[in-house]
């Protein structure tokens, strides 16, 4: 099966804490892409990052960082010094090519609540 | 730049009624898709299109039809609504395609089927 598992359904932290959102994937493809999307309470879906399977370098963007490890099939997302505005549902997604179909398979999401 | 526009934002239907969710994008993206979001289920792909005149099924296509007569528009039709189709629907487009590209999402359409 080609799927994404986000084992943490909900996480609650206090502002300024660091928090890591886990993402584990399964795929048969040798070339694939991984994504993170954010869905704030307002409901829109916002792209955060894309990583291809050949690039295992970690990425940092401000308070956000991503750790991609092919050996453990994981693509974890860390927010440093969390803020209330980080409260959202975060989705990890995996690109899948199956029978000519191109699609993203999404995890079920992790709801992050950052309390003041 | 409007991006991806979905209408309506909210809709209530009775079982058996039909309706069309509209989706339009002004970014000249070839790839467009429809997802539904249900509590605890993430986002599931309904149908997608890699260009005008070309459509294909995703994970949960039953009960839905699509067409792609222009690059800009990708409407989703419910022919005979069922309560199981109560969901939030998102249209998305991408320049590079559904597999590799960043998806730009519309604001979503919340559909309730009674």
């Amino acid at each position: 099966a080609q799927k994404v598992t986000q084992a943490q359904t909900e996480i609650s932290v206090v502002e300024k804490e660091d928090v890591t959102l886990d993402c584990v994937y399964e795929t048969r493809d040798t070339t694939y892409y991984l994504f993170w999307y954010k869905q704030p309470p307002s409901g829109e879906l916002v792209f955060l990052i894309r990583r291809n399977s050949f690039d295992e370098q970690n990425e940092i963007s401000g308070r956000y960082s991503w750790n991609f490890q092919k050996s453990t099939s994981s693509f974890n997302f860390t927010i440093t010094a969390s803020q209330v505005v980080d409260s959202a549902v975060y989705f990890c997604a995996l690109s899948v090519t199956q029978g000519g179909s191109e699609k993203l398979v999404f995890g079920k999401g992790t709801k992050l609540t950052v309390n003041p | 730049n409007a991006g991806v526009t979905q209408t309506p934002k909210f809709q209530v239907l009775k079982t058996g009624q039909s309706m069309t969710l509209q989706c339009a994008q002004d970014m000249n993206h070839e790839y467009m898709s429809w997802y539904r979001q249900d509590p605890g289920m993430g986002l599931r792909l309904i149908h997608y299109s890699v260009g005008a005149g070309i459509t294909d099924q995703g994970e949960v296509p039953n009960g839905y039809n699509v067409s792609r007569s222009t690059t800009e528009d990708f409407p989703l039709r419910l022919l005979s609504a069922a309560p199981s189709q109560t969901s939030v629907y998102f249209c998305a487009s991408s320049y590079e395609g559904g597999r590799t590209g960043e998806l730009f999402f519309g604001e979503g359409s919340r559909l309730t089927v009674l």
Side-chain angles (χ1 to χ4, degrees):
Chain A
Q2 302 193 84
K3 66 177 184 179
V4 173
T5 301
Q6 294 181 256
Q8 304 149 310
T9 305
E10 293 192 39
I11 301 175
S12 182
V13 300
V14 177
E15 207 169 18
K16 297 185 183 177
E17 284 186 22
D18 299 347
V19 58
T20 295
L21 309 181
D22 297 332
C23 173
V24 174
Y25 62 92
E26 294 179 32
T27 183
R28 297 187 294 269
D29 295 340
T30 54
T31 302
Y32 52 90
Y33 291 78
L34 294 159
F35 301 77
W36 277 94
Y37 284 84
K38 174 182 180 180
Q39 186 177 42
S42 51
E44 74 271 23
L45 283 148
V46 179
F47 167 83
L48 294 178
I49 190 171
R50 175 183 64 184
R51 174 66 71 220
N52 75 51
S53 53
F54 294 109
D55 183 1
E56 288 193 70
Q57 281 193 340
N58 291 334
E59 177 104 5
I60 298 175
S61 176
R63 296 183 297 106
Y64 294 173
S65 62
W66 292 268
N67 179 256
F68 176 32
Q69 292 195 339
K70 287 181 75 172
S71 61
T72 56
S73 298
S74 65
F75 187 43
N76 296 337
F77 173 31
T78 297
I79 302 174
T80 302
S82 59
Q83 299 176 2
V84 173
V85 293
D86 296 325
S87 296
V89 180
Y90 291 88
F91 291 98
C92 181
L94 166 72
S95 66
V96 170
T97 303
Q98 193 170 27
S101 167
E102 297 186 352
K103 61 184 181 182
L104 286 190
V105 174
F106 283 81
K108 295 184 178 180
T110 297
K111 182 178 181 181
L112 173 66
T113 302
V114 181
N115 298 299
Chain B
N1 198 349
V4 179
T5 303
Q6 289 181 233
T7 57
K9 289 186 169 47
F10 301 94
Q11 183 71 50
V12 178
L13 290 177
K14 294 181 179 178
T15 297
Q17 287 185 319
S18 63
M19 78 155 299
T20 299
L21 297 176
Q22 301 290 346
C23 176
Q25 53 91 9
D26 61 1
M27 297 173 282
N28 203 33
H29 288 171
E30 291 294 331
Y31 184 89
M32 296 185 75
S33 55
W34 278 101
Y35 286 85
R36 60 177 288 174
Q37 183 179 18
D38 301 292
M41 298 295 292
L43 291 134
R44 293 181 292 171
L45 181 66
I46 305 172
H47 285 285
Y48 68 99
S49 169
V50 298
I54 306 169
T55 64
D56 208 343
Q57 297 180 351
E59 302 170 73
V60 288
N62 292 340
Y64 307 95
N65 279 354
V66 292
S67 60
R68 185 91 180 272
S69 56
T70 67
T71 299
E72 294 78 19
D73 300 300
F74 190 45
L76 179 72
R77 298 183 187 86
L78 285 71
L79 299 179
S80 179
S84 60
Q85 294 178 304
T86 294
S87 187
V88 180
Y89 292 85
F90 287 95
C91 179
S93 71
S94 170
Y95 176 72
E96 295 181 50
R99 182 168 180 272
T100 63
E102 167 191 352
L103 287 175
F104 292 82
F105 285 88
E107 293 182 343
S109 298
R110 184 176 293 274
L111 175 66
T112 301
V113 183
L114 303 175

